[in-house]
Amino acid sequence: MESKKEFFLECYKLGIIKFGRFTLKSGIESPFYVDLRPLASDPKILKNLANYLLEMLPLDNFDLICGVPYAALPMATAMSLESYIPLIIKRKEAKSYGTKKLIEGIYQKDQNCLLVEDVITSGKSLVETIAEVEQEDLKVSDIVVVLDREQGGKQLLESKGYRVHTLFNISEVCEILQENGELSDEEVARIQDFLKGNHIQFEEEIRPSYEQKLQNAEHSVSKKLLEAALAKKSNLIASADVTTTQELLVLAEKVGPHIVALKTHIDIISDFEYEKTILPLKEIAAKHQFLLMEDRKFADIGNTQELQFTSGVFKITDWADFVTSQVIGGFESLDCFKNVGVVAIVGMSSKGTLTTASYREEALKVALSHPNVIGGVSQNKIPEDLLLFTPGVNLADSGDGKGQQYNTPEHVFTTLHTDFIIVGRGIYKSDDPEASAVTYKNEGWNAYIKSLEKKAIQN
């Protein structure tokens, strides 16, 4: 294989970079225009490009390869063929028919996916692509790019913890072309002046504070949760997945001062009696000023859900402040929850879950429009109009690699804009549940504050 410089000059003959005056999509006038799509028309060059890109990478790290549509798709395909790493295909938009999938191919939860991009400018398209790939419960740690325009995109992604590998940057390209007599000194100087004055800052969506959310909250339960968060400096919901009344009440008493809500699965209490289980639980909740969240995950027609909610031995309507419900039954199935808040199950983390991207999109439409819904359970970002409740948070998941940080408080608050973390085994299975609750309370609150500080820096 020829040298990197010789390889670029072969690519340049295909007209991949033009110099002059070009108005870009952003409206900025640029002295150069990059279009790498012609590379796909030369099989030898495409094959060599794939190998150059693969040489920069620790290939043992990746289970999948995905190209950012559309120019990078043939590059990713060639890399897959050369490396034998399976390829998945990301669509620009999900299909409106058939499976309605955004990501096509064979993949499994938690696999690490290498993203391939042709040109990086602001990094916006890559940030959006990463979010969509991660919504499919895949991990992204590395991105490989053919050409960096040196306008801030690489730095943005690296600031988020991603490793960005670039084959060429525009300064290097100009130097090669200048040495080869293709660019004059004046043209190179004009390009350098352009790069100095056109470092693009990609403005990310920034999270609102609890005070801002409280100001806009309409449902009484949303207001109570946000008020409790501010009063206690806590965004912690403890999950009480215990099986006896004694365990439930002891746990509630220990963690009560440090939580905004206690999440119950009341139907797993083996010795349940309303007077002996619920009445003292309500007293503890009132004493320590936390709400009760019954994680019933209702999933039936409206009439049946109403009976499950109001009748039977549990009488959930009499004591729960808010409940969880699937939205599979549609908008009207949620009408029965009149005196509580509803947290919609938007997405699930279990292996093989059917809550695909298209399902989550439809579920959010219901959640956003129904007056009883206060938020959603999800491991993905949702609209800021809803409160986001993120389960599976555990400090034991922290680590050096990006793939080991998905459920830490810092990740869920900074990246997902979580409002409340739900912690189960990290507290109730701890040798000292109260001490663990204090730890998670402090870690969660500090992560929330850090996410606001990031907003202040950006502003």
Side-chain angles (χ1 to χ4, degrees), residues 234-270:
S234 173
N235 41 51
L236 174 61
I237 296 176
S239 183
D241 296 335
V242 294
T243 58
T244 68
T245 294
Q246 178 68 11
E247 290 175 299
L248 176 64
L249 298 180
V250 169
L251 180 67
E253 184 65 52
K254 287 181 176 179
V255 304
H258 315 293
I259 62 175
V260 296
L262 185 73
K263 183 174 80 71
T264 60
H265 286 288
I266 206 64
D267 54 355
I268 68 173
I269 300 296
S270 58

Side-chain angles (χ1 to χ4, degrees), residues 391-448:
V393 175
N394 195 313
L395 295 174
D397 288 337
S398 61
D400 293 332
K402 185 172 178 59
Q404 285 71 48
Q405 296 178 349
Y406 271 73
N407 291 322
T408 63
E410 182 174 353
H411 171 77
V412 298
F413 279 100
T414 301
T415 306
L416 304 183
H417 292 187
T418 290
D419 293 297
F420 298 99
I421 57 173
I422 301 174
V423 181
R425 284 170 290 181
I427 293 177
Y428 75 82
K429 286 232 172 193
S430 169
D431 293 336
D432 188 342
E434 183 174 8
S436 295
V438 171
T439 299
Y440 276 101
K441 169 191 173 181
N442 292 337
E443 290 287 337
W445 189 258
N446 289 338
Y448 160 72

Side-chain angles (χ1 to χ4, degrees), residues 2-18:
E2 71 268 64
S3 71
K4 184 179 170 183
K5 175 181 176 180
E6 291 170 336
F7 173 67
F8 174 76
L9 290 173
E10 286 295 312
C11 295
Y12 181 68
K13 291 176 184 177
L14 298 180
I16 59 171
I17 303 181
K18 295 179 172 60

Side-chain angles (χ1 to χ4, degrees), residues 52-64:
Y52 272 114
L53 296 174
L54 290 167
E55 283 179 359
M56 295 191 293
L57 301 164
L59 297 184
D60 290 344
N61 287 4
F62 312 115
D63 305 299
L64 304 164

Side-chain angles (χ1 to χ4, degrees), residues 57-66 85-88 106-115 130 133-134 136-143 161-163 165 401-404 406:
L57 301 164
L59 297 184
D60 290 344
N61 287 4
F62 312 115
D63 305 299
L64 304 164
I65 293 177
C66 180
I85 297 174
L87 178 76
I88 58 174
I106 299 172
Y107 55 89
Q108 297 176 357
K109 178 186 174 185
D110 290 333
Q111 286 186 308
N112 196 15
C113 181
L114 169 68
L115 286 188
I130 290 168
V133 171
E134 289 181 342
E136 297 299 317
D137 297 319
L138 296 172
K139 299 174 183 176
V140 176
S141 58
D142 291 71
I143 300 134
Y162 300 99
R163 293 183 288 269
H165 313 266
K402 185 172 178 59
Q404 285 71 48
Y406 271 73

Side-chain angles (χ1 to χ4, degrees), residues 219 221 225 261-264 266 291-299 305 308-310 315-327 333-334 336-345 372-377 389:
H219 199 287
V221 173
L225 277 169
L262 185 73
K263 183 174 80 71
T264 60
I266 206 64
L291 280 67
L292 295 174
M293 172 186 184
E294 168 53 19
D295 193 11
R296 178 63 177 77
K297 295 186 179 71
F298 293 91
Q305 288 189 164
Q308 293 169 331
F309 178 53
T310 60
K315 295 184 176 58
I316 297 170
T317 185
D318 290 347
W319 56 270
D321 296 292
F322 57 116
V323 299
T324 57
S325 178
Q326 305 282 356
V327 294
S333 69
L334 305 178
C336 62
F337 304 115
K338 295 190 184 335
N339 62 333
V340 295
V342 175
V343 177
I345 307 299
N372 292 343
V373 175
I374 64 170
V377 170
F389 300 79

Side-chain angles (χ1 to χ4, degrees), residues 187-204:
E187 287 176 307
V188 172
R190 190 159 65 91
I191 291 167
Q192 290 173 341
D193 288 342
F194 168 80
L195 293 175
K196 289 177 184 176
N198 286 278
H199 193 85
I200 298 171
Q201 292 291 335
F202 170 42
E203 294 185 6
E204 297 182 86

